[in-house]
Amino acid sequence: MPATTNRPLRLFIDIGLWLLTVAITLLGLAALTFFIGRILPIDPVLSIVGEKALPEVYQRVYLELGLDKPLWQQFIDYVIKLLRGDFGTSFSTSRPVLTDLLNFFPATLELSTIGLLIGVALGVPMGVASAYWHEKWPDHLIRIIGLVGYSVPVFWLGLVGLFVFYYLLDWVAGPGQLDVFYVGVVDRVTGMILIDSALAGEWDIFWNAVSHMILPALLLGYYSLAYISRMTRSVMLDQLSREYVLTARLKGASEFRVVMGHALRNAAIPLVTVIALSYGGLLEGSVLIETIFSWPGIGNYIYSSLFAADMNAVLGGTLLVGIVFVLLNMLSDVLYRVLDPRSRELAK
């Protein structure tokens, strides 16, 4: 009876601690992005007024930006603006940074999601096969494939892929999200070109977008596959060494049922965290791929803003990606607690 009475209180405390952890993490992320922006040898005033501006113009903008205040006060003002949803104004686009982020983020989300699906669809079976044929030739082959995905720079793979599959073989479309004459034809609903073109019934545009998306999505999928297959192999090796696997085999269960029905089922719980972190890594690491393929997403936006010394846009984009990564990490932790019966028992 006392345990039942205390359960709502414990749940309330757990939720409060979780929210406090999220708040502290996001505050630390905001502090990190803010102070990195102040350390970089880029003058935000010059990026607005230009190098030939008069001293009085420079001084006026300097005061308007609040750069004359102590650094701690600038940070407090920055956090207050963030809480109001104010990421500042982009100097290069003359629009609020939040508006730009909402415009560019769906394209990154779409590309990263398809890359993750490819990584999961191939990486999990490869990791299972690698663990099952441990130290045999399939294991060595899959580990080499994963090692290449880890070792070879993704920008080099992107350039080689464009040269071979676009320039030489003409199997896929080139850089960009669409061919030039399709841009602006479909009304923006979600910001994801595949969904918007399908909703509009513009199937020519849909397949043109697929052709543009194949190569960058495969590269992101390969990058994700390397991590997922490696972690799946590690988790499956642990599960296949457990006593319940030996018991199932002694009872005459088929190898397929032992591996897929028992070992993989138990391995799926920690794999949730692996997949969530891989997803966050794709969102975070899409800068090079989007730059190489001229993909209109957050990565390309951050890259172009950095070269334009547009620090509001750079910090806003970096902060958004960091927030998504933190929230995905927190979500994976919640899913782990929901899916794992042992954690539910400990919470009672």
Side-chain angles (χ1 to χ4, degrees):
M1 191 70 176
T4 305
T5 305
N6 291 333
R7 191 177 302 171
L9 177 60
R10 177 171 297 190
L11 179 61
F12 178 79
I13 294 175
D14 289 343
I15 294 175
L17 290 175
W18 182 81
L19 292 176
L20 180 62
T21 302
V22 173
I24 293 175
T25 304
L26 294 180
L27 181 63
L29 179 62
L32 184 64
T33 56
F34 174 82
F35 288 110
I36 287 178
R38 291 297 184 267
I39 293 173
L40 290 176
I42 297 176
D43 191 338
V45 180
L46 287 181
S47 63
I48 298 175
V49 302
E51 296 182 358
K52 297 182 180 180
L54 297 174
E56 55 269 21
V57 175
Y58 180 95
Q59 186 64 22
R60 188 180 74 249
V61 175
Y62 182 85
L63 295 175
E64 289 177 355
L65 294 178
L67 298 177
D68 59 316
K69 300 177 182 178
L71 201 57
W72 64 266
Q73 190 172 352
Q74 293 182 42
F75 176 66
I76 292 176
D77 294 339
Y78 177 69
V79 172
I80 292 174
K81 289 181 179 179
L82 289 180
L83 293 175
R84 296 201 302 258
D86 183 6
F87 287 74
T89 301
S90 171
F91 309 141
S92 53
T93 66
S94 300
R95 294 191 300 262
V97 171
L98 183 59
T99 301
D100 285 341
L101 296 179
L102 294 176
N103 286 334
F104 288 108
F105 186 68
T108 297
L109 185 64
E110 182 179 39
L111 183 62
S112 298
T113 301
I114 295 176
L116 179 72
L117 293 176
I118 294 172
V120 172
L122 298 178
V124 172
M126 288 173 64
V128 172
S130 182
Y132 183 73
W133 284 293
H134 180 55
E135 296 299 338
K136 297 181 180 179
W137 72 264
D139 181 26
H140 296 308
L141 177 61
I142 291 171
R143 290 168 68 183
I144 290 173
I145 294 174
L147 181 62
V148 172
Y150 267 109
S151 305
V152 179
V154 69
F155 69 86
W156 185 85
L157 287 177
L159 293 174
V160 172
L162 279 174
F163 178 74
V164 174
F165 297 106
Y166 167 61
Y167 179 73
L168 293 181
L169 301 176
D170 196 26
W171 287 359
V172 297
Q177 195 177 33
L178 287 171
D179 288 344
V180 176
F181 48 84
Y182 284 136
V183 175
V185 175
V186 175
D187 292 334
R188 181 185 177 90
V189 179
T190 63
M192 303 180 188
I193 189 61
L194 294 182
I195 296 177
D196 290 349
S197 58
L199 291 175
E202 297 286 352
W203 297 109
D204 290 342
I205 298 179
F206 177 87
W207 291 113
N208 183 261
V210 169
S211 181
H212 280 270
M213 192 176 294
I214 288 175
L215 193 54
L218 283 175
L219 288 175
L220 284 178
Y222 182 38
Y223 177 77
S224 176
L225 174 153
Y227 175 68
I228 292 176
S229 64
R230 179 183 176 184
M231 297 306 297
T232 302
R233 176 183 181 275
S234 177
V235 175
M236 284 296 295
L237 283 175
D238 176 64
Q239 293 297 324
L240 289 173
S241 64
R242 298 292 181 91
E243 292 182 357
Y244 73 87
V245 172
L246 177 61
T247 303
R249 284 171 172 161
L250 292 175
K251 287 183 177 181
S254 64
E255 284 297 296
F256 180 84
R257 184 173 181 181
V258 170
V259 175
M260 306 302 291
H262 294 288
L264 183 59
R265 184 177 180 181
N266 288 325
I269 297 174
L271 285 180
V272 169
T273 303
V274 171
I275 293 172
L277 293 177
S278 179
Y279 195 21
L282 290 182
L283 291 171
E284 183 181 9
S286 62
V287 176
L288 292 175
I289 287 292
E290 290 186 2
T291 302
I292 293 170
F293 288 91
S294 300
W295 194 261
I298 287 291
N300 199 9
Y301 176 70
I302 294 174
Y303 176 83
S304 58
S305 299
L306 183 61
F307 273 85
D310 188 353
M311 292 311 299
N312 281 344
V314 172
L315 295 180
T318 304
L319 186 61
L320 175 63
V321 173
I323 289 173
V324 172
F325 192 86
V326 169
L327 293 180
L328 282 173
N329 195 9
M330 296 295 179
L331 178 61
S332 68
D333 184 59
V334 172
L335 290 176
Y336 187 92
R337 293 174 179 271
V338 171
L339 296 175
D340 190 352
R342 293 169 299 181
S343 63
R344 293 200 300 268
E345 289 296 326
L346 291 174
K348 291 181 180 180

